[in-house]
Structures are given as C-alpha cells and as structure tokens.
C-alpha cells in the first residue's frame, strides 16, 4: 500500500492511523479495568489494571500518543528522500517451504509475512495477526509459502489489536469457516468488532498482564503491554486494547510483540515474565521516524528492546510484505545485519515458510 492509498483510507476513516491527542497513564488521574473472569499476573503491588482516560479510552503506560491530521498532511505532502531507492528496489523476502514440517509432531515456528506467524507447541497450533488474503488496499509484496486453503488446523488465533493489517475481516472469516473449534485470544474491547465474523467461536479478551483460560495446564498465554493505539472507524479511537503475547510451555517461551514503539514496557515484561527464548520483533514501517516512532519501533530500537528482554533468538517481522511507509522494503533487515554485533543473542534470518525453530 503506497502513501496515496493510505491517505485515501484515512480520509475514509477506515485505516489504522488515528489522529488525536491523549495522555499517558502516569500523567493524569486514571481509571483501570480488566477482565474479571481472567487471572492477572500482578507486575507489582501497585498494579491496578489496564488504564483508561476520562473518556474511557485505553492509553499507553508510559507515553502519551499525540498526533494530528496536520502531521498526516505533513507526511503525505513531504518528499520521501528514499523515493527512487524504494522504487528501484528489486529484492523480495525469501520464500521457501519444507513440507516435512507438517508431517511430524515436532514444534515449529513459521513466518507467513508481516505479523503473521504459524507455530506449533506440543501439538497445539497457533496463528498470530493473520492477513493472508489481499484486499482493496493491502497487496502482498511477498508470496505465501503455500496456498491459503492448505493452512493447517488452527487451535488458537491470537489477535494483538484492531488495525487492518493485523485484524483482517476477510482472512478471519475464512479461518472461522475452516476451523470450527478455533479459540480466539485478544485484548479488551475487540470482541464487539470481530464477533460477527465468527460462528460461535470462543473469544477471550484480556487486559495487560492477564492470562487466558486454557485447558492445557502446561501452557500459559499472557497478554502484555505495547506502545501503540487502536482505531478502525472515525468514532472508535482507543476503544479496544492493543498489546502482545507471551506464550510459555515448559521451558520454551515465545514473545510476540504486536505493534509497538520503544518504551519501558519491554523491561517490565522481562522483569515480570522472564526472558523469552524466541522474540518476534517488529522492525518495519518506521519511516519517517518523526511520524512513526510512537507506533512502530525502528530496527535499531528493536535491537535495544531485544537486549532488554534478554531473549535468545531475535526474529524480525513487520517488514517486506506490505508497503506501509517510506523506507525500502528490505532496509529494516539490512540495518539489523549491519548492527548484528549489538545483538546480545542470535539474529534469525526470517525466511517465509522456513521452520525458524529448526537447527536453533
């Protein structure tokens, strides 16, 4: 999706770029909320729940989100210094599929592009933020590793927030039809948006640091904070929550960042839940940084966040699949490679369709 398409969508009030000013949770007197049916893993004795402002809108923990329609106009009308570089780039994400992945019972972790991961842990299959079918404004720059109708059975669908590149109605309707027993895990307020797309599927909404109710006593999934915001329409800014997921089974753990700017919440997650093995970190849609930094972390800041998390494997995402910003599609990966010496763990090349747990 190019800048012109983004501009059109925003004018129609249908894409995930909201323009407003709000306060951070530590700046004004707040209200707090949670799902009373789910347990909260208290990050501290002072934790009161997920914060809301005086209008009942969710807010970030440490950073106010401030923007305006003027910022949008400034971005859209300013010259992209990398326009020609971006236009002439021919590289694409590598795509391959080892079909043996599906034949055994071993755990796997497979990137399907953007923020979509398919993974299996002890026989249970998870899928994050799926956008598998092109729509009017979002067209893939990278292929799927297999035809979408070959998608394996999905047990748990994890939706980080309501933005359309993470929560796609067409894809979710397809998955609901294909997986009648699939359970949906997401943040507070999202059920009202998605419930008509499903066919009686169980949907659990969580606040930050709440754990979902699961039948497998050895598996835990915790909804964790990110620095972002939400909107699908003109009138619903920040009425549903955004976040990431921390999945743990035995000695194995996966952290899925969702969308996030840089912030102190990464240190909180590490301190309260431990250091994850596999860190699925967004690194793209970060330019121009003056505009994007509140919502999308840069590759350099993602390295710092990974080091703060003290993870083992850095697996980048959120680049190369859709045209959402000013940087060339492969620049985020190039920056990571150029700064690999800063990474206090193993940088994993994110080949679409490859088992990223293999040989690690």
């Amino acid at each position: 999706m190019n800048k012109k398409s983004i501009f059109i969508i925003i004018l129609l009030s249908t894409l995930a770029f909201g323009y407003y000013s709000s306060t951070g949770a530590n700046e004004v007197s707040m209200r707090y909320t949670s799902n009373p049916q789910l347990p909260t893993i208290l990050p501290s004795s002072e934790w009161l729940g997920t914060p809301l402002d005086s209008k009942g809108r969710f807010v970030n923990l440490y950073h106010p989100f401030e923007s305006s329609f003027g910022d949008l106009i400034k971005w859209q009308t300013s010259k992209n210094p990398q326009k020609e570089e971006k236009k002439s780039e021919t590289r694409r994400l590598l795509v391959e599929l080892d079909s043996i992945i599906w034949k055994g019972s071993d755990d796997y972790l497979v990137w399907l592009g953007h923020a979509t991961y398919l993974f299996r842990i002890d026989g249970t299959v998870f899928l994050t933020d799926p956008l598998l079918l092109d729509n009017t404004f979002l067209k893939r720059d990278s292929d799927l590793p297999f035809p979408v109708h070959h998608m394996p059975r999905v047990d748990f669908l994890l939706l980080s927030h309501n933005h359309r590149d993470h929560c796609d109605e067409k894809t979710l309707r397809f998955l609901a039809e294909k997986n009648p027993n699939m359970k949906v895990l997401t943040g507070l307020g999202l059920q009202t948006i998605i419930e008509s797309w499903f066919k009686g599927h169980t949907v659990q909404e969580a606040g930050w640091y709440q754990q979902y109710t699961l039948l497998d006593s050895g598996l835990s999934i915790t909804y964790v904070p990110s620095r972002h915001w939400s909107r699908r329409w003109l009138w619903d800014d920040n009425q549903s929550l955004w976040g990431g997921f921390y999945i743990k089974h035995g000695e194995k753990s996966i952290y899925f960042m969702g969308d996030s700017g840089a912030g102190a919440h990464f240190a909180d997650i590490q301190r309260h839940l431990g250091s994850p093995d596999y860190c699925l970190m967004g690194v793209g849609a970060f330019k121009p940084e003056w505009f994007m930094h509140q919502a999308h972390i840069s590759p350099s800041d993602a390295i710092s966040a990974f080091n703060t998390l003290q993870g083992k494997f850095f697996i980048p995402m959120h680049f190369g699949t859709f045209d959402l910003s000013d940087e060339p599609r492969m620049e985020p990966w190039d920056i990571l490679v150029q700064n690999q010496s800063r990474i206090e763990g193993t940088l994993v090349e994110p080949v679409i369709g490859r088992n990223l747990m293999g040989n690690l």
Side-chain angles (χ1 to χ4, degrees), residues 293-305:
H293 76 280
Q294 298 184 84
H296 297 151
I297 199 167
S298 70
S300 180
D301 285 343
I303 291 174
S304 298

PDB file of all heavy atoms in Angstrom, residues 293-305:
ATOM      1  N   HIS A 293       7.394   6.813  15.041  1.00  0.00           N
ATOM      2  CA  HIS A 293       8.082   6.241  16.207  1.00  0.00           C
ATOM      3  C   HIS A 293       7.147   5.901  17.360  1.00  0.00           C
ATOM      4  O   HIS A 293       7.460   5.031  18.180  1.00  0.00           O
ATOM      5  CB  HIS A 293       9.169   7.205  16.704  1.00  0.00           C
ATOM      6  CG  HIS A 293       8.627   8.383  17.470  1.00  0.00           C
ATOM      7  ND1 HIS A 293       8.093   9.499  16.852  1.00  0.00           N
ATOM      8  CD2 HIS A 293       8.537   8.607  18.811  1.00  0.00           C
ATOM      9  CE1 HIS A 293       7.701  10.362  17.778  1.00  0.00           C
ATOM     10  NE2 HIS A 293       7.957   9.842  18.964  1.00  0.00           N
ATOM     11  N   GLN A 294       5.999   6.555  17.436  1.00  0.00           N
ATOM     12  CA  GLN A 294       5.087   6.276  18.544  1.00  0.00           C
ATOM     13  C   GLN A 294       4.383   4.927  18.399  1.00  0.00           C
ATOM     14  O   GLN A 294       3.885   4.389  19.391  1.00  0.00           O
ATOM     15  CB  GLN A 294       4.024   7.374  18.633  1.00  0.00           C
ATOM     16  CG  GLN A 294       4.578   8.759  18.905  1.00  0.00           C
ATOM     17  CD  GLN A 294       3.464   9.766  19.067  1.00  0.00           C
ATOM     18  OE1 GLN A 294       2.909   9.914  20.150  1.00  0.00           O
ATOM     19  NE2 GLN A 294       3.124  10.456  17.999  1.00  0.00           N
ATOM     20  N   ALA A 295       4.366   4.413  17.167  1.00  0.00           N
ATOM     21  CA  ALA A 295       3.594   3.200  16.907  1.00  0.00           C
ATOM     22  C   ALA A 295       4.425   2.029  16.420  1.00  0.00           C
ATOM     23  O   ALA A 295       4.083   0.878  16.665  1.00  0.00           O
ATOM     24  CB  ALA A 295       2.497   3.510  15.885  1.00  0.00           C
ATOM     25  N   HIS A 296       5.538   2.321  15.711  1.00  0.00           N
ATOM     26  CA  HIS A 296       6.362   1.268  15.119  1.00  0.00           C
ATOM     27  C   HIS A 296       7.820   1.502  15.480  1.00  0.00           C
ATOM     28  O   HIS A 296       8.397   2.537  15.150  1.00  0.00           O
ATOM     29  CB  HIS A 296       6.212   1.259  13.593  1.00  0.00           C
ATOM     30  CG  HIS A 296       4.844   0.944  13.111  1.00  0.00           C
ATOM     31  ND1 HIS A 296       4.330   1.417  11.923  1.00  0.00           N
ATOM     32  CD2 HIS A 296       3.858   0.182  13.665  1.00  0.00           C
ATOM     33  CE1 HIS A 296       3.098   0.973  11.763  1.00  0.00           C
ATOM     34  NE2 HIS A 296       2.786   0.224  12.812  1.00  0.00           N
ATOM     35  N   ILE A 297       8.410   0.545  16.128  1.00  0.00           N
ATOM     36  CA  ILE A 297       9.785   0.650  16.581  1.00  0.00           C
ATOM     37  C   ILE A 297      10.740   0.542  15.390  1.00  0.00           C
ATOM     38  O   ILE A 297      10.460  -0.174  14.420  1.00  0.00           O
ATOM     39  CB  ILE A 297      10.072  -0.449  17.632  1.00  0.00           C
ATOM     40  CG1 ILE A 297      11.300  -0.119  18.465  1.00  0.00           C
ATOM     41  CG2 ILE A 297      10.151  -1.824  16.988  1.00  0.00           C
ATOM     42  CD1 ILE A 297      11.437  -1.008  19.695  1.00  0.00           C
ATOM     43  N   SER A 298      11.852   1.265  15.442  1.00  0.00           N
ATOM     44  CA  SER A 298      12.856   1.181  14.386  1.00  0.00           C
ATOM     45  C   SER A 298      13.716  -0.067  14.586  1.00  0.00           C
ATOM     46  O   SER A 298      13.762  -0.637  15.690  1.00  0.00           O
ATOM     47  CB  SER A 298      13.751   2.418  14.412  1.00  0.00           C
ATOM     48  OG  SER A 298      14.588   2.402  15.562  1.00  0.00           O
ATOM     49  N   PRO A 299      14.415  -0.522  13.565  1.00  0.00           N
ATOM     50  CA  PRO A 299      15.302  -1.676  13.747  1.00  0.00           C
ATOM     51  C   PRO A 299      16.335  -1.466  14.843  1.00  0.00           C
ATOM     52  O   PRO A 299      16.606  -2.375  15.627  1.00  0.00           O
ATOM     53  CB  PRO A 299      15.964  -1.832  12.373  1.00  0.00           C
ATOM     54  CG  PRO A 299      14.998  -1.224  11.412  1.00  0.00           C
ATOM     55  CD  PRO A 299      14.368  -0.082  12.146  1.00  0.00           C
ATOM     56  N   SER A 300      16.904  -0.275  14.902  1.00  0.00           N
ATOM     57  CA  SER A 300      17.911  -0.004  15.931  1.00  0.00           C
ATOM     58  C   SER A 300      17.314  -0.071  17.329  1.00  0.00           C
ATOM     59  O   SER A 300      17.892  -0.681  18.242  1.00  0.00           O
ATOM     60  CB  SER A 300      18.543   1.378  15.690  1.00  0.00           C
ATOM     61  OG  SER A 300      19.522   1.659  16.663  1.00  0.00           O
ATOM     62  N   ASP A 301      16.138   0.538  17.501  1.00  0.00           N
ATOM     63  CA  ASP A 301      15.488   0.486  18.816  1.00  0.00           C
ATOM     64  C   ASP A 301      14.978  -0.913  19.132  1.00  0.00           C
ATOM     65  O   ASP A 301      14.890  -1.306  20.305  1.00  0.00           O
ATOM     66  CB  ASP A 301      14.336   1.487  18.881  1.00  0.00           C
ATOM     67  CG  ASP A 301      14.811   2.929  19.012  1.00  0.00           C
ATOM     68  OD1 ASP A 301      15.984   3.137  19.372  1.00  0.00           O
ATOM     69  OD2 ASP A 301      14.010   3.845  18.732  1.00  0.00           O
ATOM     70  N   ALA A 302      14.637  -1.681  18.101  1.00  0.00           N
ATOM     71  CA  ALA A 302      14.211  -3.066  18.324  1.00  0.00           C
ATOM     72  C   ALA A 302      15.359  -3.902  18.872  1.00  0.00           C
ATOM     73  O   ALA A 302      15.143  -4.803  19.703  1.00  0.00           O
ATOM     74  CB  ALA A 302      13.683  -3.671  17.030  1.00  0.00           C
ATOM     75  N   ILE A 303      16.571  -3.624  18.428  1.00  0.00           N
ATOM     76  CA  ILE A 303      17.737  -4.317  18.991  1.00  0.00           C
ATOM     77  C   ILE A 303      17.857  -4.009  20.475  1.00  0.00           C
ATOM     78  O   ILE A 303      18.068  -4.909  21.305  1.00  0.00           O
ATOM     79  CB  ILE A 303      19.019  -3.914  18.244  1.00  0.00           C
ATOM     80  CG1 ILE A 303      19.004  -4.465  16.823  1.00  0.00           C
ATOM     81  CG2 ILE A 303      20.258  -4.417  18.990  1.00  0.00           C
ATOM     82  CD1 ILE A 303      20.160  -3.993  15.962  1.00  0.00           C
ATOM     83  N   SER A 304      17.718  -2.738  20.837  1.00  0.00           N
ATOM     84  CA  SER A 304      17.789  -2.363  22.254  1.00  0.00           C
ATOM     85  C   SER A 304      16.689  -3.036  23.058  1.00  0.00           C
ATOM     86  O   SER A 304      16.918  -3.509  24.178  1.00  0.00           O
ATOM     87  CB  SER A 304      17.685  -0.834  22.393  1.00  0.00           C
ATOM     88  OG  SER A 304      18.768  -0.187  21.752  1.00  0.00           O
ATOM     89  N   ALA A 305      15.480  -3.110  22.477  1.00  0.00           N
ATOM     90  CA  ALA A 305      14.372  -3.765  23.169  1.00  0.00           C
ATOM     91  C   ALA A 305      14.646  -5.251  23.350  1.00  0.00           C
ATOM     92  O   ALA A 305      14.378  -5.823  24.420  1.00  0.00           O
ATOM     93  CB  ALA A 305      13.075  -3.553  22.387  1.00  0.00           C
TER      94      ALA A 305
END
